[in-house]
């Protein structure tokens, strides 16, 4: 989400909490604590699956389904508080016994991508913003910074090494920048989630009002052509263009880069949730030789 300072009180960030968490992260980062030998080149990493989507496409519900299936590795709400050193957050989650607090029977509640249970999936926005900074838009252009790429690989692979389960990542920035992700992780797979265009437009339009109290304020991913879209006077025309641009870019980039991907419709997730979880798990594990 853009315009953090413009959000209504219900969605405004807690600046004190964020500052304190940032200081904790800096201390842990400076300590150079290690919890496993991620540098062991013989370790085989499990599959990595990115969920790609236009905003308000129902992917939070999908992520909750995947998380609660116990078939996947993922970033929880608790771990996300340690965005500079997520492996430490995962260590603390495990050593404190937090993983034993089941969320299986909890309701599938969320508010614009934000879930409430400590073990529910998190979009990990602070983490991805360290690596995906496209300027006016949210698209990362070549050439990619080699130090940044190496740091992303190190941090994410360190986290992946904690489990033999396939890891899913649900983040709008990462899911949009498929070419960048494939450069960093050639083995990555992608799930393109689509939802009825009119439903998505209505939801984003409503979100602009609820989050910013302003229909003209941009909500969520800024596609490559955002400058052109912002010249449109009607907010609904902007939103329709936003969704169409994002969905087209995801599909085109997957095809162009010959990425391993599948497309799933939100209506099928709602009507056949267990089948879709199994389909995604089988897709993740298909022909996998753990790179």
């Amino acid at each position: 989400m853009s315009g953090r300072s413009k959000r209504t009180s219900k969605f405004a960030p807690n600046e004190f909490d964020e500052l304190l968490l940032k200081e904790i992260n800096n201390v842990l980062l400076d300590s150079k604590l290690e919890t496993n030998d991620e540098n062991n080149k013989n370790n085989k990493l499990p599959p990595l699956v990115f969920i790609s989507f236009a905003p308000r496409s129902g992917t939070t519900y999908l992520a909750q389904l995947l998380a609660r299936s116990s078939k996947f590795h993922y970033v929880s709400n608790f771990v996300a508080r340690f965005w500079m050193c997520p492996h430490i957050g995962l260590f603390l989650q495990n050593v404190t016994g937090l993983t034993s607090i089941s969320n299986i029977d909890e309701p599938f509640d969320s508010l614009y991508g934000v879930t409430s249970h400590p073990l529910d999936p998190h979009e990990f926005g602070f983490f991805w913003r360290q690596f995906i900074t496209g300027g006016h838009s949210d698209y990362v252009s070549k050439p990619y910074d080699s130090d940044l790429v190496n740091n992303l690989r190190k941090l994410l692979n360190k986290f992946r090494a904690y489990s033999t389960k396939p890891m899913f990542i649900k983040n709008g920035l990462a899911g949009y920048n498929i070419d960048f992700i494939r450069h960093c992780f050639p083995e990555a797979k992608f799930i393109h989630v689509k939802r009825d265009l009119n439903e998505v437009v209505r939801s984003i339009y409503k979100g602009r009002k609820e989050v910013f109290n302003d229909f003209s304020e941009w909500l969520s991913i800024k596609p490559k052509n955002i400058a052109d879209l912002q010249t449109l006077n009607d907010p609904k025309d902007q939103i329709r263009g936003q969704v169409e641009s994002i969905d087209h870019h995801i599909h085109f980039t997957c095809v162009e880069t010959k990425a391993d991907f599948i497309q799933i419709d939100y209506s099928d997730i709602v009507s056949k949730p267990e089948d879709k979880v199994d389909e995604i798990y089988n897709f993740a594990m298909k022909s996998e030789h753990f790179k």
Side-chain angles (χ1 to χ4, degrees):
M1 257 178 224
S2 61
R4 283 164 55 86
S5 63
K6 299 179 181 179
R7 295 181 192 176
T8 58
S9 58
K10 183 177 181 180
F11 296 92
N14 186 313
E15 295 183 1
F16 176 81
D17 286 357
E18 288 188 355
L19 180 60
L20 182 57
L21 285 168
K22 183 178 180 180
E23 291 301 318
I24 292 172
N25 273 266
N26 281 322
V27 170
L28 292 172
L29 190 64
D30 290 342
S31 71
K32 303 188 186 305
L33 289 172
E34 297 294 349
T35 57
N36 71 337
D37 184 13
E38 82 289 350
N39 295 314
N40 184 352
K41 302 303 181 182
N42 294 320
N43 285 345
K44 294 181 179 180
L45 294 171
L48 183 61
V49 181
F50 287 81
I51 301 175
S52 298
F53 55 95
R56 312 303 298 155
S57 293
T59 52
T60 301
Y61 175 56
L62 174 60
Q64 288 176 303
L65 286 171
L66 298 180
R68 297 182 189 196
S69 73
S70 300
K71 294 181 176 181
F72 292 88
H73 187 43
Y74 64 97
V75 175
S76 69
N77 281 323
F78 178 83
V79 170
R81 271 57 184 178
F82 302 88
W83 65 90
M84 294 184 191
C85 41
H87 60 293
I88 298 295
L90 186 58
F91 168 77
L92 291 173
Q93 178 175 281
N94 292 338
V95 78
T96 58
L98 185 58
T99 50
S100 65
I101 304 175
S102 175
N103 59 352
I104 299 298
D105 297 323
E106 295 293 323
F108 285 85
D109 66 323
S110 64
L111 185 64
Y112 290 94
V114 179
T115 56
S116 57
H117 193 281
L119 296 182
D120 266 351
H122 194 283
E123 291 208 0
F124 216 17
F126 280 2
F127 175 86
W128 286 106
R129 274 294 179 192
Q130 298 174 97
F131 304 102
I132 299 178
T133 52
H136 186 60
S137 77
D138 284 326
Y139 179 71
V140 179
S141 303
K142 295 179 181 178
Y144 305 131
D145 183 279
S146 59
D147 290 337
L148 182 145
V149 168
N150 290 335
N151 192 31
L152 172 57
R153 284 175 178 158
K154 180 180 179 181
L155 283 174
L156 201 57
N157 285 342
K158 188 185 297 187
F159 191 85
R160 290 169 71 190
Y162 262 86
S163 176
T164 58
K165 299 176 182 179
M167 180 177 178
F168 77 82
I169 292 171
K170 182 243 170 183
N171 176 272
L173 296 174
Y176 181 64
N177 285 279
I178 293 169
D179 35 8
F180 172 70
I181 294 298
R182 292 211 68 217
H183 175 80
C184 300
F185 305 98
E187 74 277 20
K189 301 182 180 186
F190 299 87
I191 304 164
H192 182 192
V193 178
K194 296 199 68 175
R195 186 180 184 182
D196 178 82
L197 176 61
N198 291 326
E199 291 183 10
V200 175
V201 171
R202 281 195 295 268
S203 185
I204 296 176
Y205 185 73
K206 178 183 176 183
R208 286 188 175 195
K209 178 65 174 179
E210 290 189 351
V211 177
F212 299 110
N213 196 30
D214 186 351
F215 286 118
S216 66
E217 188 67 32
W218 197 269
L219 181 70
S220 194
I221 303 170
K222 297 177 289 184
K224 290 194 290 184
N225 62 335
I226 185 175
D228 293 333
L229 295 175
Q230 287 178 324
T231 64
L232 302 175
N233 293 324
D234 189 336
K236 288 187 178 179
D237 288 339
Q238 292 180 355
I239 295 168
R240 183 173 292 271
Q242 174 191 17
V243 176
E244 290 177 334
S245 175
I246 292 170
D247 275 333
H248 173 77
H249 173 78
I250 290 170
H251 182 78
F252 176 80
T253 308
C254 280
V255 173
E256 184 183 50
T257 64
K258 298 180 180 179
D260 195 359
F261 80 103
I262 57 173
Q263 183 173 299
I264 295 179
D265 193 88
Y266 173 67
S267 62
D268 292 330
I269 298 171
V270 173
S271 63
K272 300 175 289 187
E274 293 182 0
D275 289 348
K276 289 299 144 183
V277 169
D278 288 341
E279 179 183 344
I280 292 170
Y281 178 78
N282 292 332
F283 166 68
M285 300 301 293
K286 175 181 61 115
S287 301
E288 185 55 55
H289 34 278
F290 290 7
K291 299 179 180 180

